[in-house]
Amino acid sequence: MAELIALYVCGLIALFAAVRTVIEPHPYRKLPYLNVMNFAIAGLIVLVLSHPLSILAAAAYFVGSTLEANAIASARAAVMGND
Amino acid sequence: MLADYIQIPIAAALCWILFVTVDIVFRLPEKGGVKGAAAIGRKIREDGGSLPGGTMMGNIVSSPDASAGTLLAACGVYVAGLPGGLAAAALVFIGNRICHDPGYAGTTGAVLASIMVTGFAVLGFAPENFIAGMVIAILTIQGLSHPYASRLLTRIWGWRS
């Protein structure tokens, strides 16, 4: 039961963050919402795949998505400055 | 054993206090670790927020910090107990190094969270409730209102400095 409640909480928050990422017009402010979605999906990976190695999948997904967000924000800051 | 709908808010509050404290102790609001983090902080200030809090939010986006450490440690304890949490701490440290971050905040957060989640599991808390709790905790900082969250973080940063 606890697993199901945690799963639904993560799923709903992932959906909410995804919608806010889409409707937020400014790229810099999209990224924190996207960050919330990544947290929720990393949680979902482990809750859906309850296996000791699923922590590797969750960490790989999370670190990869963080690296992407880092690259997008830094590239934009380097090219466009503070807009 | 407490019901899940009571455990999750308690877990969320504990995770929130843990990751904000560790991030503030490791001076995340002081400056953007990378250009992108500083730019996100400036944008949040422009839109009515506060710069140190915004910078901390930018740093959370750009590198696995204590919040990521807390989430992955909770996941690790859920799948494999305390050793799983410590394995998650090692993965967070590697992730930090990939993102050109020294990694102390993320690794410290992960180790502390592993101990916290394991300890509360002994008291009857389900580790999966800490996963949901951490997702709620990060939602309150990054996903509800950037101006309010950044001002709150700046106030806590003010107490530290």
Side-chain angles (χ1 to χ4, degrees):
Chain A
M1 189 61 194
E3 270 175 47
L4 271 185
I5 295 178
L7 200 68
Y8 287 137
V9 168
C10 290
L12 282 176
I13 291 177
L15 202 61
F16 170 79
V19 170
R20 288 208 69 168
T21 307
V22 172
I23 60 177
E24 169 62 43
H26 198 282
Y28 284 142
R29 290 196 49 179
K30 278 180 190 283
L31 290 171
Y33 296 127
L34 197 61
N35 192 226
V36 175
M37 193 193 82
N38 290 333
F39 267 75
I41 291 188
L44 280 174
I45 290 175
V46 170
L47 289 169
V48 172
L49 302 171
S50 302
H51 184 275
L53 290 180
S54 59
I55 185 68
L56 281 178
Y61 168 79
F62 191 81
V63 171
S65 60
T66 302
L67 197 60
E68 281 173 32
N70 187 343
I72 293 168
S74 295
R76 189 181 168 88
V79 174
M80 311 196 54
N82 181 34
D83 59 336
Chain B
M1 186 173 157
L2 290 169
D4 292 316
Y5 62 88
I6 304 173
Q7 285 190 15
I8 291 178
I10 295 174
L14 290 168
C15 289
W16 198 97
I17 292 168
L18 180 79
F19 95 80
V20 170
T21 307
V22 174
D23 278 358
I24 298 263
V25 166
F26 281 94
R27 313 181 81 88
L28 257 69
E30 196 169 53
K31 60 179 169 49
V34 287
K35 257 186 184 172
I40 291 170
R42 285 196 299 271
K43 175 65 186 164
I44 289 173
R45 180 183 60 186
E46 267 174 34
D47 293 349
S50 169
L51 187 61
T55 305
M56 176 165 152
M57 291 162 73
N59 279 326
I60 293 175
V61 168
S62 302
S63 178
D65 70 314
S67 58
T70 307
L71 176 77
L72 292 176
C75 291
V77 174
Y78 170 67
V79 294
L82 185 62
L86 297 178
L91 293 172
V92 170
F93 181 74
I94 296 168
N96 279 135
R97 300 305 302 134
I98 294 171
C99 294
H100 292 287
D101 181 308
Y104 307 124
T107 315
T108 309
V111 171
L112 292 177
S114 301
I115 297 167
M116 179 178 83
V117 178
T118 312
F120 274 86
V122 173
L123 295 179
F125 275 65
E128 54 267 41
N129 288 338
F130 278 89
I131 301 177
M134 187 55 224
V135 174
I136 294 172
I138 199 69
L139 173 75
T140 61
I141 294 291
Q142 305 274 57
L144 292 180
S145 162
H146 297 163
Y148 283 113
S150 63
R151 279 185 241 145
L152 175 65
L153 292 173
T154 301
R155 187 176 300 171
I156 299 172
W157 171 241
W159 295 337
R160 188 218 189 282
S161 54

